[in-house]
Amino acid sequence: MNDHESEAIIKKIIAFKDLEDAIQLAISPSDTCIIAENEIYQAAKISPLISETLMGIPIRCYTPLEYNRYVAPYRDADKMIIMIDDGEKLTPNMKNTIEICRIMGVESIIILFSDISGELKRMMTPEIIPLKFSPNLEAMEKLIISTAITIKVLAEAASRKMDNPRAKDVLKGLGEVKVYEEDERKLKSILMEIANGNIKHVFSDHMLMGVIETVIEETTVKKQYAIKVYRMDDHPKITMNIISRGGKTAIFTSEVEADVAKQIQNYMKMHGREVEEYMEKGDPIIAPLQLSINLFKAKREVA
């Protein structure tokens, strides 16, 4: 997938009419949750912040194991949006979640990135919305698709339920997301330093956390080291501890937490440490998707 194809994916999701039933579930957010795994979960876990911001009620996001063990035994009713990348490769936990939906009569919809096939085709499942993308998506492609779906469904639900002008602005902003070459070059430079082991500490704001955790893991998976991604509110406790460990620090932020990013940057520089900062400007709800788009080519070239 090249830059134009990644932008085309977003346009396809924006125009996709079959997401209507998922939007209707999200319009009643008090008992609706999202279930996802791996990269898709990392993208979808922004749903509580987005739905709280746009509708005043958080739509929760769980992994299948979290839902099966900690939620399902104690709830009588739920509505569920399940996101799966490939119907051929269902995990045992995801199979259990789908079976729980059937047994308990949970109103649910599966948004499937590929076409209906494999185990999913043979199981007794709720409604399936196949997006018909390739079944062999890269991690960054899954991030882009799942982030776009999460933002689209929640913003559309808020726009219809509350006539929320902010939600309408978000939907408009979705259609304007594109690759910015200057940002792409900056991200490539930072990823290169992470891959080379020069950057040893990473901070991220709340909205970008899932994207950053995924790309850091993808970048370092074959290395002899791992990098932990810290949240902005880990400052100053964490920054006090890491200044003695050496290595550069990278900070990824949207405009909302830019002041905290500046505090961390100033603190590290005051103690003689080098810092690389990347700010994703614009609406913070759109920021995770814009970051994913800008990261896609940069991540591929570093790999």
Side-chain angles (χ1 to χ4, degrees):
M1 182 173 73
N2 56 37
D3 291 345
H4 297 299
E5 289 172 332
S6 63
E7 292 169 14
I9 281 178
I10 297 172
K11 288 180 171 56
K12 176 178 177 178
I13 290 168
I14 292 170
F16 199 71
K17 301 299 184 185
D18 288 350
L19 289 174
E20 179 63 31
D21 288 343
I23 293 167
Q24 290 300 322
L25 283 186
I27 285 176
S28 302
S30 60
D31 55 0
T32 299
C33 63
I34 295 174
I35 305 294
E37 294 178 297
N38 304 321
E39 302 92 350
I40 304 174
Y41 172 79
Q42 290 284 38
K45 69 181 183 181
I46 58 176
S47 60
L49 279 174
I50 294 178
S51 53
E52 183 79 66
T53 299
L54 297 181
M55 291 187 279
I57 301 174
I59 289 183
R60 298 149 291 131
C61 183
Y62 304 111
T63 66
L65 181 62
E66 287 173 338
Y67 184 81
N68 299 348
R69 300 297 179 90
Y70 298 102
V71 180
Y74 308 103
R75 291 182 65 87
D76 295 327
D78 265 314
K79 297 176 183 176
M80 189 182 300
I81 299 170
I82 302 171
M83 289 201 281
I84 300 173
D85 61 325
D86 185 0
E88 293 277 3
K89 304 170 184 175
L90 295 181
T91 65
N93 286 322
M94 186 61 83
K95 291 179 192 176
N96 289 341
T97 299
I98 294 171
E99 185 66 8
I100 287 171
C101 289
R102 185 186 67 80
I103 294 171
M104 297 180 62
V106 175
E107 185 179 357
S108 53
I109 291 173
I110 294 175
I111 300 177
L112 179 64
F113 295 2
S114 59
D115 203 351
I116 303 172
S117 63
E119 288 186 275
L120 201 56
K121 193 171 186 177
R122 295 189 292 271
M123 292 179 68
M124 293 180 62
T125 64
E127 179 186 351
I128 301 175
I129 302 173
L131 300 182
K132 299 184 179 180
F133 291 112
S134 165
N136 299 308
L137 296 168
E138 297 178 24
M140 292 304 300
E141 292 173 311
K142 295 176 189 178
L143 269 181
I144 291 168
I145 295 169
S146 43
T147 304
I149 290 171
T150 302
I151 296 171
K152 156 80 173 177
V153 167
L154 298 183
E156 190 68 61
S159 177
R160 297 186 195 181
K161 182 177 181 179
M162 308 179 70
D163 197 29
N164 187 321
R166 171 82 185 282
K168 293 177 181 178
D169 288 343
V170 169
L171 290 170
K172 181 174 181 291
L174 272 179
E176 298 170 353
V177 171
K178 63 179 183 179
V179 175
Y180 291 93
E181 291 185 1
E182 184 177 345
D183 291 341
E184 192 176 66
R185 286 193 296 270
K186 174 69 172 177
L187 288 166
K188 180 182 175 182
S189 174
I190 294 175
L191 288 184
M192 191 68 74
E193 291 208 67
I194 290 171
N196 292 338
N198 296 328
I199 290 176
K200 299 185 181 300
H201 318 290
V202 175
F203 285 86
S204 171
D205 81 355
H206 289 65
M207 288 297 288
L208 305 181
M209 177 67 77
V211 176
I212 295 303
E213 285 181 328
T214 300
V215 77
I216 295 295
E217 182 179 349
E218 286 284 302
T219 303
T220 61
V221 67
K222 296 180 181 178
K223 309 294 182 182
Q224 298 298 314
Y225 56 87
I227 296 178
K228 179 175 173 55
V229 181
Y230 300 103
R231 289 160 50 128
M232 294 292 196
D233 45 13
D234 288 327
H235 172 71
K237 180 180 179 181
I238 291 299
T239 44
M240 292 173 63
N241 291 333
I242 66 176
I243 55 174
S244 62
R245 301 178 194 168
K248 296 176 69 173
T249 297
I251 303 172
F252 298 88
T253 184
S254 63
E255 291 184 285
V256 170
E257 296 186 48
D259 59 325
V260 186
K262 186 60 67 178
Q263 290 173 24
I264 296 171
Q265 186 176 36
N266 290 341
Y267 184 90
M268 299 302 290
K269 287 183 175 180
M270 185 174 66
H271 288 84
R273 299 302 177 199
E274 294 183 75
V275 179
E276 294 285 349
E277 181 184 1
Y278 177 84
M279 182 187 298
E280 195 62 75
K281 296 180 179 179
D283 192 313
I285 291 178
I286 300 291
L289 182 59
Q290 182 63 67
L291 177 61
S292 298
I293 290 288
N294 288 335
L295 272 169
F296 179 76
K297 184 178 177 183
K299 165 65 181 63
R300 177 172 281 179
E301 290 182 357
V302 169

